């Protein structure tokens, strides 16, 4: 980084600039543009999580909210449970309508959420709601087929377009990768339960 005269990257645009410089500016000085700036071995790409706005903390200092509407509520419910079980993380999943009634007050308190919005009948309403959270200072990781430009929104565009009823399969896979990385960072084996089993006879 110092040889290239570039700051440590913090945003996705910063990362793009740095990776491009590694290819074009010959950091090892051999006169060839033969450097490989990035490897997708294992889950190394999750090092971009901070730039995407996802805080892969290991101390559970906040509760992560997962939100969606329609078919995406299924995605939110699954992902909330997934991170509880794999990374021992405090999470909550709820529909956009549930969040609007009462929980919206949380936005003022260093709020962060992951918001799923596949194409469908409620697409525009969901996008407007994500912007509303961001306008109030909330940090939104917005997962959709189209990005939102906003200072406190990190957009992750997974695919160009797909049916909203298929979207949970694609979105869930992305969060599964995050859950595995978070478990690894906390020294946990994803899926290994220490206190309970999958089947319990207790009420």
């Amino acid at each position: 980084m110092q040889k290239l005269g570039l700051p440590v990257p913090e945003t996705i645009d910063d990362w793009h600039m740095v990776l491009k410089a590694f290819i074009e500016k010959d950091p090892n000085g051999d006169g060839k543009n033969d450097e490989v700036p990035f490897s997708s071995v294992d889950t190394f790409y999750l090092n971009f999580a901070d730039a995407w706005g996802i805080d892969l903390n290991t101390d559970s200092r906040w509760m992560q909210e997962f939100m969606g509407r329609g078919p995406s509520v299924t995605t939110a419910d699954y992902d909330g449970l997934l991170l509880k079980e794999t990374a021992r993380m405090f999470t909550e999943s709820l529909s956009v309508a549930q969040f609007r009634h009462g929980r919206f007050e949380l936005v003022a308190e260093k709020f962060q959420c992951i918001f799923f919005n596949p194409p469908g009948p409620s697409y525009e309403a969901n996008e407007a709601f994500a912007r509303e959270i961001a306008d109030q200072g909330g940090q939104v990781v917005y997962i959709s087929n189209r990005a939102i430009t906003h200072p406190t929104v990190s957009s992750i565009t997974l695919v160009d377009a797909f049916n909203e009823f298929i979207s949970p399969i694609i979105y869930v896979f992305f969060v599964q990768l995050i859950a595995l990385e978070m478990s690894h960072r906390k020294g946990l084996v994803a899926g290994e339960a220490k206190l309970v089993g999958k089947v319990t006879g207790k009420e």
Side-chain angles (χ1 to χ4, degrees):
M1 296 295 295
Q2 291 177 344
K3 282 182 93 173
L4 295 174
L6 296 171
V8 176
E10 294 182 359
T11 68
I12 291 297
D13 287 340
D14 292 345
W15 274 105
H16 179 263
M17 179 179 63
V18 168
L19 294 175
K20 190 175 178 188
F22 266 91
I23 294 173
E24 298 175 349
K25 294 190 177 182
D26 189 28
N28 67 358
D30 66 357
K32 301 175 186 174
N33 292 343
D34 57 357
E35 282 72 29
V36 177
F38 175 74
S39 169
S40 60
V41 174
D42 296 324
T43 56
F44 178 75
Y45 67 91
L46 287 175
N47 288 328
F48 295 126
D50 288 338
W52 276 329
I54 300 173
D55 184 0
L56 297 184
N57 70 77
T58 58
D59 59 7
S60 299
R61 65 182 175 275
W62 43 258
M63 177 179 283
Q64 179 64 60
E65 300 270 357
F66 289 92
M67 278 194 281
R69 191 193 311 255
S72 292
V73 174
T74 303
T75 309
D77 286 344
Y78 174 80
D79 291 335
L81 179 61
L82 177 70
L83 287 176
K84 288 173 187 167
E85 291 185 338
T86 58
R88 313 295 191 270
M89 205 178 134
F90 294 102
T91 64
E92 184 176 47
S93 61
L94 62 167
S95 71
V96 170
Q98 287 174 310
F99 187 77
R100 169 69 77 189
H101 297 285
R103 290 181 174 93
F104 198 86
E105 289 298 320
L106 293 171
V107 174
E109 300 297 328
K110 298 181 180 178
F111 179 78
Q112 177 174 321
C113 72
I114 295 179
F115 196 107
F116 302 101
N117 190 24
S122 57
Y123 186 86
E124 299 300 330
N126 284 343
E127 182 179 306
F129 189 70
R131 287 182 184 278
E132 187 176 352
I133 292 172
D135 287 341
Q136 296 299 323
Q139 299 289 323
V140 180
V141 177
Y142 181 76
I143 303 178
S144 186
N145 70 317
R146 187 173 70 196
I148 287 179
T149 302
H150 193 284
T152 62
V153 175
S154 297
S155 290
I156 300 174
T157 306
L158 295 185
V159 293
D160 185 37
F162 50 87
N163 182 293
E164 66 174 330
F165 294 98
I166 303 298
S167 67
I169 298 170
I170 298 168
Y171 289 166
V172 161
F173 176 70
F174 178 75
V175 178
Q176 283 174 338
L177 295 176
I178 292 174
L180 286 171
E181 177 65 12
M182 293 180 73
S183 298
H184 175 72
R185 290 187 184 194
K186 294 177 79 170
L188 300 169
V189 177
E192 180 182 73
K194 295 183 178 179
L195 304 179
V196 297
K198 287 293 182 183
V199 179
T200 178
K202 293 184 178 180
E203 196 172 310

